[in-house]
């Protein structure tokens, strides 16, 4: 086994342990951890299967294997950014709704206080 393979495998194991630690501490939700774990497992597979990238390159018809890696990761990043945009939009709408509900509750509370006077 090559030195780079060993380094990559150790780095992947450490990264999965770090992700697990973040989940246990409550700093990372499971739904977001899945993406990181899938990417790490993907890298782990290619750490063991050194000819895998060449096989995929030939199957897809890409000339240079590095282009396949960059294209794959760019596509994965775009999908992840789209997911984060959806989550951010939902949070924005939820915050807007909460703000409106708080304003209504304040108005109701103030009316209740005025009627007590």
């Amino acid at each position: 086994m090559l030195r780079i393979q060993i380094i990559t495998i150790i780095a992947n194991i450490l990264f999965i342990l770090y992700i697990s630690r973040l989940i246990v501490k409550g700093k990372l939700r499971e739904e977001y951890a899945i993406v990181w774990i899938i990417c790490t497992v993907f890298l782990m597979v290619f750490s063991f299967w050194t000819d895998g990238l060449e096989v995929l390159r030939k199957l897809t018809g890409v000339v240079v294997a590095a282009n396949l890696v960059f294209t794959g990761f760019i596509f994965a990043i775009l999908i992840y950014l789209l997911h984060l945009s959806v989550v951010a939009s939902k949070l924005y709408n939820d915050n807007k709704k909460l703000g409106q509900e708080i304003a209504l509750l304040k108005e109701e509370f103030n009316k209740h206080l005025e009627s007590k006077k």
Side-chain angles (χ1 to χ4, degrees):
M1 201 179 282
L2 298 173
R3 184 181 308 175
I4 189 69
Q5 285 178 290
I6 294 170
I7 292 170
T8 306
I9 292 167
I10 291 171
N12 287 330
I13 291 170
L14 290 174
F15 193 65
I16 287 178
L17 290 174
Y18 183 66
I19 292 169
S20 302
R21 184 171 175 248
L22 289 174
I23 292 170
V24 169
K25 285 189 167 193
K27 293 185 176 184
L28 181 65
R29 293 180 52 181
E30 293 86 359
E31 63 191 50
Y32 300 117
I34 290 171
V35 173
W36 295 110
I37 291 172
I38 289 172
C39 288
T40 306
V41 168
F42 183 75
L43 291 173
M44 184 78 81
V45 166
F46 285 105
S47 297
F48 284 107
W49 185 33
T50 55
D51 294 333
L53 194 56
E54 280 299 312
V55 171
L56 286 177
R57 182 191 69 77
K58 288 177 185 174
L59 285 174
T60 58
V62 176
V63 177
V64 181
N67 291 344
L68 182 63
V69 172
F70 286 125
T71 303
F73 278 113
I74 289 170
F75 184 68
I77 289 168
L78 287 174
I79 289 173
Y80 193 62
L81 286 173
L82 177 64
H83 171 70
L84 290 178
S85 297
V86 169
V87 169
S89 296
K90 183 183 178 306
L91 288 173
Y92 174 79
N93 290 333
D94 290 348
N95 282 339
K96 182 178 167 183
K97 185 177 176 183
L98 283 173
Q100 291 170 346
E101 289 176 3
I102 288 172
L104 289 173
L105 286 172
K106 274 185 177 180
E107 184 180 329
E108 221 176 281
F109 182 71
N110 288 336
K111 283 181 183 179
H112 181 71
L113 282 178
E114 288 176 9
S115 68
K116 291 271 184 174
K117 289 182 182 180

